[in-house]
Amino acid sequence: MEHPNSRTGFSRRGFLQFVGASTALGLSGAAFVRARLPAAHFPAADAYRWLDPQTLLVLQRLAEIWLPRGDGEFVAYSSLPVWPQFDVWLGRLSTPLRESFLLGLKGFDYAAFVYGWHGEPFSALAPEPARRYIDRWFAGSSDQKALVGAMRQILHLSYWRFPQTWPATGYQGPLFLRTSIPALGTAPLPP
């Protein structure tokens, strides 16, 4: 009797072996590329609690694409403490969510080897291929959209929270700071 999967050419075991071999090949390629990069290519991550050198590289590449670089009226992201603030936002996530997010960042970085066949991690891509790679993730599965959306949201929160960034957009700051209205926090409204 013929097995139902024998007509497709790939058994479940064969498929899992293929995926395992592809993953091992991708990770060994990533390790090879990382070993060839000079030590100066990795940013210092000693000052951060949650960010490591690899995630900082990914975030720096994303910041180069998404955040202002000092063009015109906008303040350059590199002149603000964006990374310490990003680290603070990560610290506010629950432990399982934070671990999943950081793992997703690393997966996003290494997926560039096979998702688009770039042959190098996302953090090493030139700006234009990096933009196309991000666009493919935005158009991908719901998990891909969620990860890229979360990266973008936290990165933007880490930049736009600083008052130096507000004048370029016309934002004058929170109303309670500009007036004599006291901040009541979560107190109920008066009747």
Side-chain angles (χ1 to χ4, degrees):
M1 184 166 154
E2 186 177 341
H3 191 273
N5 288 337
S6 62
R7 287 178 262 143
T8 62
F10 248 145
S11 67
R12 182 172 185 221
R13 178 173 289 161
F15 175 73
L16 291 174
Q17 288 173 343
F18 172 75
V19 168
S22 299
T23 303
L25 181 64
L27 291 176
S28 64
F32 176 72
V33 169
R34 294 287 183 197
R36 289 186 11 225
L37 294 174
H41 188 70
F42 292 98
D46 300 340
Y48 307 114
R49 181 166 181 190
W50 309 110
L51 297 174
D52 61 17
Q54 181 185 2
T55 55
L56 277 170
L57 282 174
V58 173
L59 294 173
Q60 284 178 347
R61 175 62 68 206
L62 290 169
E64 291 169 6
I65 294 169
W66 285 335
L67 296 181
R69 288 174 279 174
D71 306 336
E73 300 175 30
F74 293 97
V75 178
Y77 74 90
S78 57
S79 66
L80 298 171
V82 172
W83 309 130
Q85 184 58 44
F86 197 97
D87 199 52
V88 168
W89 289 118
L90 284 178
R92 292 180 180 167
L93 298 175
S94 67
T95 302
L97 186 58
R98 180 177 45 253
E99 289 172 356
S100 297
F101 181 76
L102 291 172
L103 186 61
L105 270 174
K106 291 178 181 178
F108 175 80
D109 191 25
Y110 287 136
F113 278 98
V114 293
Y115 193 65
W117 300 104
H118 295 289
E120 56 188 354
F122 167 77
S123 56
L125 293 177
E128 203 46 48
R131 277 189 189 88
R132 287 194 306 270
Y133 180 72
I134 292 170
D135 290 343
R136 283 189 71 190
W137 275 69
F138 266 127
S141 71
S142 59
D143 292 337
Q144 290 173 314
K145 291 176 190 176
L147 178 64
V148 175
M151 289 187 297
R152 187 174 192 164
Q153 184 176 12
I154 297 176
L155 198 57
H156 279 282
L157 284 172
S158 300
Y159 173 80
W160 292 105
R161 75 163 310 278
F162 295 104
Q164 301 93 309
T165 63
W166 301 345
T169 63
Y171 180 59
Q172 299 172 1
L175 183 63
F176 75 90
L177 291 178
R178 293 183 281 133
T179 63
S180 59
I181 301 172
L184 300 177
T186 59
L189 292 174

